[in-house]
Amino acid sequence: MQEIERLRQLILEPPRALGALPASEVRVVGPDDSIGMALDHVRTRGFSQLPVYDGGGYAGVLTTNAIARWLADQLTRNTGIAEEEPVSHVLRFAEPGEDAILVPRAITVVEAIDRLSRGRQAGQLTTALIITENGRRTDKPLRLVAPYDLPVLTAALAIT
C-alpha cells in the first residue's frame, strides 16, 4: 500500500529537476570574451556547453561541436588558431538548432526529460536546458542540464 501511495504522489507531484540533479556550477562566457577563455573552461572543467550571456541576457550556447567546426575553419585558412577570437565569432559555427532551451526553476523531472528527448526523437539536436528563475533570457542561469543528465533524471522517477 505504501508503494502505491508513493507512485500516486510521484504522478501527482513529480520531483523538480533542480532537486533531482546534483548541484553544478554554471560557467558563462560573454560574446566578447576570448575563445581562449572559453577553451580553458572546456579543458579544466570538462564542459561541453557554455551559455553565452551579454548585457541583455542569454545570447546562445557555445558547444564543443561549434568550437571544432571553428577550429577546422581556422586550420583550412592557414591563419592558425586565434586564441583572442571573440566567442561571438565562434558561435557562428553552431549548427541550426544547436541551442539551449531556457526553462523555469519549477520544471519537473518529467518535463525536463521530455524537453531534452523531444528533439532527439525528431532527429534534431537538443544541446541543453538552461534552468533560470522564470525561464527568461534575462534571468541568471541556475543549472545547465545536458543529455548527459538524462540517467539521473530518469532515476528520479524509478519505480521499484
Side-chain angles (χ1 to χ4, degrees):
M1 188 64 124
Q2 216 173 22
E3 183 64 11
I4 293 172
E5 185 57 35
R6 187 186 73 78
L7 292 173
R8 176 185 177 276
Q9 192 62 29
L10 196 60
I11 291 168
L12 293 176
E13 293 181 36
R16 303 280 183 229
L18 266 180
L21 293 166
S24 177
E25 177 182 25
V26 179
R27 289 288 180 146
V28 301
V29 292
D32 296 328
D33 289 342
S34 73
I35 190 61
M37 186 174 91
L39 288 172
D40 188 54
H41 292 312
V42 171
R43 182 182 56 78
T44 61
R45 302 192 188 283
F47 295 153
S48 58
Q49 302 102 355
L50 287 165
V52 180
Y53 276 75
D54 61 19
Y58 177 74
V61 64
L62 181 66
T63 66
T64 51
N65 288 340
I67 294 169
R69 286 188 290 278
W70 166 77
L71 178 59
D73 182 71
Q74 290 292 309
L75 294 174
T76 59
R77 291 174 184 242
N78 293 324
T79 58
I81 297 174
E83 277 189 30
E84 297 304 314
E85 186 101 27
V87 166
S88 60
H89 180 78
V90 182
L91 273 177
R92 294 184 217 148
F93 290 85
E95 291 180 343
E98 194 175 60
D99 199 8
I101 300 168
L102 295 159
V103 297
R105 162 190 282 278
I107 190 168
T108 67
V109 167
V110 173
E111 293 165 329
I113 291 169
D114 180 59
R115 297 297 293 268
L116 278 173
S117 302
R118 195 178 305 158
R120 293 187 183 288
Q121 294 166 356
Q124 298 173 343
L125 178 63
T126 302
T127 303
L129 304 178
I130 297 176
I131 299 176
T132 71
E133 190 62 40
N134 298 299
R136 295 188 193 118
R137 297 179 89 71
T138 53
D139 293 344
K140 179 183 173 200
L142 301 173
R143 177 77 157 73
L144 187 133
V145 184
Y148 174 85
D149 294 308
L150 280 170
V152 175
L153 292 170
T154 304
L157 298 176
I159 299 172
T160 56

